[in-house]
Amino acid sequence: MNQLSPEEKNNLPRHVALIMDGNGRWAKSRRMPRLFGHRNGVENVRAVVNTAKEVGVPYITLYAFSTENQNRPSDEKSGLMKLLEEFLKKELSSMMEDGIRLRAIGDLSGLPDFAQKIVEDTIEQTQENENWNLTLALNYGSRQEVLKAVSKYAQNHPGSANVPTWEQFSPYLETAGLPDPDLIIRTSGEFRLSNFLLLQAAYAEIFVSPLHWPDFGRDAFLEALADYARRERRFGKTSEQIQPSVHIL
Ligand code: IPE
Ligand code: IPE
Ligand code: MG
């Protein structure tokens, strides 16, 4: 797919969250080490972020490293962290030019010092940018995020037995300030969330691509956006309530 139609452009998600899976399998199919897959995966991040800018999706969140990925071999983990550093160093100037604000969710204190530092520095340097929003989920796990939010909420409301509303509770999540994802894309044909944005995804549309992440480029992303544009999001209502004019009888 090369272009979105005007109708598809009118129905774009505001926030797309991507579970970038399959780098290892992509490399294995080429008889290359896993890190070769990760390196090509990082290249693909550029393609997807550029496409989001091209069509006008203001919020992109990328699942880059999960809490559970801490259990991977240490050479893979350190390779990933070096790729992260390289990526942020290289991208800073274009992030400033394009007005991209970087955010991170996840427990950054569990990253090596150099990685934590470059992430924090880039967040600080881009904090005034307001055209586009790129969020990296790093050492992120949704359950851990929720448990921390519960604890912080309780600290701020000592002795209260009231059940908070979602509006009262959600600012305690790490995604405070971000809209809920409208579309979650997972590559590599896996139909699971792997501890990603479990509460925020309550009404997200889900799209699974068979492609491995390094192959999920501009065209595949446009396909996913076009597929999203054709869906009817009902949020518990009936189809007739959503599109009354189409259901006159
Ligand atoms: C996704 O690719 C990248 C990370 C989880 C960091 P994988 O490394 O999970 O690739 P597969 O699933 O082994 O193919
Ligand atoms: C999910 O991929 C995490 C990221 C993409 C960072 P995994 O490859 O870690 O997920 P599982 O283990 O197959 O569920
Ligand atoms: Mg995987």
Side-chain angles (χ1 to χ4, degrees), residues 19-21 63-66 69 72 186 190 192 194:
I19 304 176
M20 310 185 288
D21 199 13
Y63 204 4
F65 193 80
S66 70
N69 290 149
R72 292 201 178 188
R186 182 163 186 154
E190 307 288 0
R192 57 177 173 271
S194 302

Side-chain angles (χ1 to χ4, degrees), residues 52-95:
K53 282 190 294 169
E54 176 195 329
V55 299
V57 175
Y59 290 87
I60 292 285
T61 296
L62 301 172
Y63 204 4
F65 193 80
S66 70
T67 314
E68 291 74 22
N69 290 149
Q70 292 285 8
N71 298 319
R72 292 201 178 188
S74 55
D75 58 343
E76 179 167 347
K77 286 195 287 175
S78 62
L80 279 166
M81 292 304 133
K82 281 181 204 142
L83 284 172
L84 171 68
E85 183 189 32
E86 213 176 280
F87 172 78
L88 290 176
K89 274 191 182 157
K90 247 194 204 164
E91 291 307 301
L92 180 63
S93 60
S94 61
M95 289 173 84

Side-chain angles (χ1 to χ4, degrees), residues 1-14 51-58 218 222 225-230:
M1 166 166 241
N2 215 339
Q3 288 285 312
L4 293 178
S5 70
E7 209 181 329
E8 288 160 350
K9 278 195 182 149
N10 275 336
N11 281 307
L12 284 176
R14 192 165 163 232
T51 309
K53 282 190 294 169
E54 176 195 329
V55 299
V57 175
R218 179 180 178 278
L222 291 180
L225 294 174
D227 188 273
Y228 171 90
R230 287 191 292 273

